[in-house]
Amino acid sequence: MAQIIDGKAVSASVKAEVAEETARLRETNGLKVGLAVVIVGNDPASRVYVNNKKKACEAVGFQSYEYALDESTTQEQLLDLVNVLNRDDRVNGILVQLPLPKHIDEKAVINAISPDKDVDAFHPVNVGKIMIGEYSFLPCTPAGVMRLIESTGVDITGKQCVVIGRSNIVGKPQAMLLLQKNGTVTICHSKTKNLKEICLGADILVVAIGRAKFVTGDMIKEGAVVIDVGMDRDENGKLCGDVDFESAEKKAGYITPVPGGVGPMTIAMLMKNTLTAAKQQAGIE
Ligand code: GUN
C-alpha cells in the first residue's frame, strides 16, 4: 500500500517559509510585496482560483490587487492594463488568469507581461531560461510537483521518470525539471504507442493528460512515486484525478490524492515566485 503524499501539509510548509521571509524582509529592508491578479469574464472555476490566490496573498503578508474585467473587454484594453501594471512599482507579480475569452489572443497577453513580473513563468523569455537552467521563476504546477517528489525523500538522480502530457504549462517544463535533477526522462502523450510498457518502467510517474482515471494500477511499477496533476470528474460527477487512485495505491510506493495533492502546491509556488520577483526588483540577493 502506498504512502499518501500530503499536498496540503507540504503546501502549508512552503507558505509558512514565504510568510516568514516576507515578514523578515519587511522588517530589515522595508520590502512590500504585491501581486496583481487579472480575471476577464465570469468563468466560475477561474473565479474560485482567483479568490484562493487572493486569500493566499493575505495569509503570507502580500498585498493583492484584483482587476475583474468584463467578458466584453477588448484585447487592446487588456494589453493597456498589463502595460500599466508593468510600470506600477507596487506590483511585483502579474497573473492573468487563463483561459481568456475567445476573442482575446492569450499569447499576445502573455508576451506583454514584463518577464520580471511573470510569476506564472509563461513568457517565452522565462520558458527559454528554464531550458538552459538559468531561471528565476519556475511554472507553479511543475515546481510544486518537484517539491512533492522531494518530500518523499526519493532521489531523482538516475531514475526512470515518465511524464504523461506535453502541455506548455505542465508536461514540457516538468520534463525539463526532472532532467535537471538528473532523471532519465520520457515524455508520453495521447499518440504514444506502448504507453503501458513505458509506464511500467517508471520509478517516477507524473500524469498530466486531463483524462479521468486514465492510469490504472496495472500500468504502475511496484514502489513507484506517482504524482497526479489531473483535476477531472468521474462518471458520477465526483472530483478525481488522471490516476485511478484505488488500483494505483496498491502498487505505488508514494502517491498524491486528488484533491489534496498537487492542487494546493500550485498556489504555494505562486507565492514563492511573487516573493522572488519582489526581492529581485528590490535588488535583494
Ligand atoms: N488557469 C489555470 N491554471 C492557471 C495558472 O497556473 N495560471 C494562470 N494564469 N491561469 C491558470
Side-chain angles (χ1 to χ4, degrees), residues 130-147:
I130 292 160
M131 286 296 287
I132 57 174
E134 284 180 17
Y135 43 79
S136 342
F137 309 123
L138 290 176
C140 301
T141 300
V145 168
M146 295 307 282
R147 255 324 248 261

Side-chain angles (χ1 to χ4, degrees), residues 47-262:
R47 178 32 69 196
V48 172
Y49 290 137
V50 164
N51 287 347
N52 288 341
K53 285 166 188 175
K54 279 166 53 190
K55 269 190 226 156
C57 281
E58 264 169 50
V60 299
F62 298 171
Q63 187 70 47
S64 69
Y65 305 98
E66 182 183 315
Y67 297 84
L69 308 182
D70 196 81
E71 178 84 25
S72 65
T73 302
T74 65
Q75 181 166 318
E76 199 184 353
Q77 285 167 328
L78 181 56
L79 291 174
D80 284 346
L81 172 62
V82 168
N83 283 323
V84 168
L85 297 174
N86 280 341
R87 290 191 298 267
D88 186 338
D89 289 339
R90 298 169 310 158
V91 171
N92 304 110
I94 302 170
L95 183 138
V96 179
Q97 187 66 29
L98 304 178
L100 289 168
K102 288 200 172 42
H103 64 275
I104 298 179
D105 176 5
E106 279 183 2
K107 248 190 225 166
V109 176
I110 289 169
N111 289 353
I113 297 172
S114 163
D116 300 338
K117 296 189 176 186
D118 169 38
V119 286
D120 267 325
F122 290 169
H123 191 286
V125 165
N126 288 321
V127 174
K129 284 184 172 180
I130 292 160
M131 286 296 287
I132 57 174
E134 284 180 17
Y135 43 79
S136 342
F137 309 123
L138 290 176
C140 301
T141 300
V145 168
M146 295 307 282
R147 255 324 248 261
L148 291 176
I149 297 171
E150 200 181 289
S151 79
T152 66
V154 170
D155 185 7
I156 296 168
T157 296
K159 296 277 161 49
Q160 295 291 337
C161 303
V162 173
V163 178
I164 309 183
R166 54 175 159 179
S167 70
N168 289 332
I169 293 180
V170 183
K172 285 185 206 166
Q174 190 69 68
M176 291 313 302
L177 300 189
L178 290 163
L179 180 62
Q180 272 154 21
K181 292 288 179 191
N182 305 311
T184 303
V185 184
T186 306
I187 306 174
C188 301
H189 45 80
S190 56
K191 306 264 189 308
T192 298
K193 296 205 170 86
N194 307 325
L195 184 68
K196 182 174 172 183
E197 279 154 48
I198 297 169
C199 288
L200 276 168
D203 302 304
I204 296 170
L205 180 63
V206 180
V207 191
I209 195 158
R211 290 201 215 162
K213 301 185 182 180
F214 180 76
V215 169
T216 44
D218 60 330
M219 298 164 76
I220 293 171
K221 181 177 176 176
E222 197 77 48
V225 178
V226 177
I227 308 285
D228 187 351
V229 183
M231 273 282 206
D232 314 302
R233 298 273 165 189
D234 69 10
E235 58 284 2
N236 303 314
K238 192 166 164 256
L239 190 63
C240 70
D242 291 352
V243 176
D244 176 42
F245 187 84
E246 208 180 303
S247 60
E249 75 165 337
K250 297 192 176 88
K251 295 285 288 295
Y254 298 89
I255 189 166
T256 57
V258 176
V262 174

